[in-house]
Amino acid sequence: MPKNPTPEQRMAWHAGHAANCPCRVMPAGVIRMFVERGLPVPDQLALQAAADKKS
Ligand SMILES: [Zn+2]
């Protein structure tokens, strides 16, 4: 990720990261950027992993 990423760069990076790595959930501020733009919030491996552990 660039040092001073634009919102679009942050969204792209977090979308790619969340889909491929369960190390952490997407920050609320990043999720808000998707919501504010009317875009679907990307699936997150971290949330799937947490759900898998419960079942
Ligand atoms: Zn990660």
Side-chain angles (χ1 to χ4, degrees), residues 5-46:
T6 64
E8 285 72 21
Q9 284 172 325
R10 288 187 70 199
M11 291 161 67
W13 187 89
H14 279 284
H17 176 261
N20 293 291
C21 179
C23 74
R24 59 189 172 128
V25 297
M26 202 176 281
V30 175
I31 291 175
R32 199 177 311 127
M33 289 194 286
F34 283 92
V35 174
E36 283 171 351
R37 287 163 175 75
L39 298 170
V41 178
D43 286 336
Q44 299 182 54
L45 272 187

